[in-house]
Amino acid sequence: MMFPVIIDQAGPLPIKTSVKWPSTGTIVVAVSGSAYAQKPGTLLTVKLTIQDTTETVQVYANQASTHMALPTGFFTRTGAYGQCDVTLSAGDGNTFTDQNDHFQVALIY
């Protein structure tokens, strides 16, 4: 089993990379990171886009201006060998990130 980390960097979002998709079989994509809200009572959303497919990880921020760890998201993808674009972005205008937030995306296969 392999676990290459394809994104491992601080914010802000968006973060985009191009990777060589390693398999035609099913791959689990793990996503983790953090974000903050400027107003209390805000749903924080970070989007993971691989090619034309988007998934989200979310957490509810009770406090403003506090960096919140997002729950780790696990998503399955089946692709073809070759170059593939991977993008992490804020899900909406209420989700903020800066250099104090850190993001990781790993492939598990």
Side-chain angles (χ1 to χ4, degrees):
M1 191 170 264
M2 300 194 60
F3 309 96
V5 175
I6 59 173
I7 292 176
D8 184 17
Q9 72 179 70
L13 294 179
I15 298 172
K16 184 175 182 177
T17 190
S18 181
V19 299
K20 185 174 180 182
W21 200 253
S23 174
T24 57
T26 300
I27 293 177
V28 175
V29 181
V31 182
S32 64
S34 60
Y36 68 95
Q38 292 183 338
K39 294 189 281 187
T42 301
L43 183 66
L44 302 176
T45 304
V46 171
K47 296 189 308 184
L48 167 71
T49 303
I50 300 176
Q51 297 301 73
D52 296 327
T53 305
T54 300
E55 300 286 354
T56 59
V57 289
Q58 299 176 315
V59 68
Y60 191 76
N62 288 319
Q63 297 178 324
S65 303
T66 300
H67 295 265
M68 304 284 300
L70 295 160
T72 302
F74 295 93
F75 309 102
T76 58
R77 288 287 171 270
T78 303
Y81 289 112
Q83 287 304 114
C84 173
D85 292 329
V86 178
T87 304
L88 283 175
S89 59
D92 57 36
N94 296 316
T95 301
F96 296 90
T97 59
D98 61 23
Q99 72 278 1
N100 297 307
D101 297 295
H102 194 89
F103 299 91
Q104 288 189 322
V105 176
L107 305 179
I108 303 169
Y109 61 98

